[in-house]
Amino acid sequence: MTSRNRTGAAAGGLAAALTALALLAGGCTEATGGVRGTPGAAGLRDPYFPKLGNGGYDVRHYALTLAYDPGTGRLDGTAEITARATQDLSAFNLDLAGLTVAGATVDGDPAAVNRAGNELTLRPREEIRDGAEFRTTVRYAGVPESITDADGSQEGWLRTGDGAVAVGEPAGSMTWFPGNHHPSDKATYTITLTVPAGLEGISNGVRTARRTAADGRVTTEWRAAEPMAGYLATVAIGRYETDESVERTDGTGAGPTTGTGPTTGPATPAAPSTSPSTPASPPGPTPTAAPTAVSVLTAAERSVAASSAALRGEIPEILDRQIRRFGPYPFSSAGAIVTRDGTLGYALETQTRPVFPAASFDRTTLVHELAHQWFGNSVSPATWRDLWLNEGFATYAEWLYTEEYEHVPARTHFERAFAQEANWAFPPAAPPTAENLFDPPVYQRGAMVLHKLRETVGDRTFDEILRGWPAKYRHANASTDDFTAYAESVAGRDLDELWDVWLFGDGKPDTP
């Protein structure tokens, strides 16, 4: 994400709202078969959002079927969630804001449903044993809401003049589908969108199907075959034009392996590695080999399609340059979504297909959001306190890009950042509140940490860290402690002095 401008006090603080939620399970019917199981935790005790996410299970796959009517704002959805129990479960929770739940089943049997704020509690007919895989289906509908974050910015389901854009950092995804909405629980996705005639539905991953009904309604299916945190899921509905190609991603130079050009028809789908009935393997440090070619699909609303076309066309080249610095591209698809201004106030690194308001669609921001595909999307934060690992790396990717291709040394950016007092408000690894998660120290001082690491260990060792870090934790989660330990293992020495001053220190050093 690009740094969000604060617009004053929040209309409703997200952190306070999540903290105030309480699990209300008393209304659920009692499960049969004994009392061996216990309810999963309502919340994962994240340092900033303690009620976000849920315990007792690990989601493997989401199959979301959505139909949207822009005229009324109504969303009809079915979420089929395949998960594995991590304890004996008598009940479990999903995060869901607003919307009305019509019913739910677990492994085909009706489940008791209870709501308490943003917590949806399900009590299955039979308890679920530790290690068992189970499938939950939730049917829901309503007019999705947006969320006003603690910094005053908007996220969630954002209505446009003829459609909507859904963005979810840190918690907005729960406004349009139920799930385990903490970044530590990543899963694969299949998202099927049905929209009125004349509109297109865009989402993450590879577009595997597109069909038009007799009444003109258009249905598209999108397959995100690699694990994704819920906050990185996206939907864009409107009058979009798309361009599509398949590009090499072997770092030898960008080039199409199939034809390119505008399209309103289906993609040539990549062979899906998962299906709704066959979830992917759980995230881990060494999953499947990186793809050597990716489906690149960009979408732009018609009013900004022409003005954004040239830069959208540079995405394969930028990715190829980043592959040379960061290692293999971690996903089977790539691209961008460009919306007209007025709805979204910032760009966001939604997985495989970042979202940009037209005013923010410039080369620097594009480099930043594409770098997130390695740093933040493939390697995701263990908690929201680790966000600097996303934003510090993506900001430093900007510095590296201008150093290599625009002849502006990274040291120049470092000195400029050092001189800005806003970057010294707090240590990047310890934002004081949720309101500060997207403040300058997380971005600029986070990048400064990486530059000081580079100066301390030398370019060769730093390049090894830069490529090795996303390889070691590919499609997994990692913490600040994981990073400092990894950097020291590669450098072969203790770096406490560096961390104490630049990563955790409260004061500004006398000199850069």
Side-chain angles (χ1 to χ4, degrees), residues 8 66 79 111 121-122 127 145 154 167 192 207 225 229 240 246 255 261 276 280 289 308-309 331 348 428 468 475:
L66 309 172
T121 303
L122 303 183
E127 292 184 352
E145 304 169 351
Q154 295 286 317
V167 291
T192 303
R207 183 169 60 182
Y240 283 89
V246 176
S308 65
F331 301 110
L348 185 65
H475 299 321

Side-chain angles (χ1 to χ4, degrees), residues 186 224-228 249 273 285 287-294 319 322-323 326-334 351-352 369-380 470-471 473-476:
K186 302 167 71 169
E226 297 87 11
M228 177 167 70
T249 57
S273 61
T288 58
T292 58
V294 300
L319 282 176
Q322 292 182 327
I323 287 166
F326 308 145
Y329 183 70
F331 301 110
S332 54
S333 56
Q351 190 156 303
T352 69
E369 305 305 344
L370 292 178
H372 271 307
Q373 306 309 308
W374 285 263
F375 307 107
N377 295 11
S378 180
V379 183
S380 299
Y473 289 95
R474 182 170 175 263
H475 299 321

Side-chain angles (χ1 to χ4, degrees), residues 27-165:
C28 298
T29 57
E30 183 176 354
T32 60
V35 292
R36 177 176 174 179
T38 57
L44 295 179
R45 299 183 180 180
D46 186 272
Y48 302 106
F49 309 109
K51 301 300 289 184
L52 194 61
N54 302 284
Y57 62 94
D58 173 35
V59 179
R60 310 293 291 280
H61 186 78
Y62 291 93
L64 307 177
T65 303
L66 309 172
Y68 185 60
D69 182 352
T72 63
R74 179 182 172 92
L75 178 71
D76 289 275
T78 299
E80 185 179 280
I81 304 168
T82 303
R84 181 180 60 83
T86 57
Q87 65 176 67
D88 291 330
L89 283 173
S90 61
F92 59 93
N93 280 27
L94 299 168
D95 302 314
L96 182 65
L99 303 173
T100 299
V101 174
T105 63
V106 176
D107 289 334
D109 293 325
V113 177
N114 196 69
R115 296 292 295 272
N118 294 342
E119 295 288 344
L120 174 66
T121 303
L122 303 183
R123 186 176 292 272
R125 177 175 294 179
E126 300 289 340
E127 292 184 352
I128 303 167
R129 296 307 183 200
D130 185 9
E133 186 175 278
F134 63 99
R135 185 165 301 161
T136 301
T137 301
V138 180
R139 293 177 292 109
Y140 60 98
V143 177
E145 304 169 351
S146 63
I147 291 175
T148 302
D149 289 338
D151 64 1
S153 58
Q154 295 286 317
E155 61 165 322
W157 190 273
L158 309 178
R159 293 182 69 175
T160 65
D162 58 4
V165 177

Side-chain angles (χ1 to χ4, degrees), residues 247-254 291-293 320 323-324:
E247 304 284 341
R248 293 197 307 269
T249 57
D250 54 9
T252 61
T292 58
D320 189 71
I323 287 166
R324 296 179 211 176

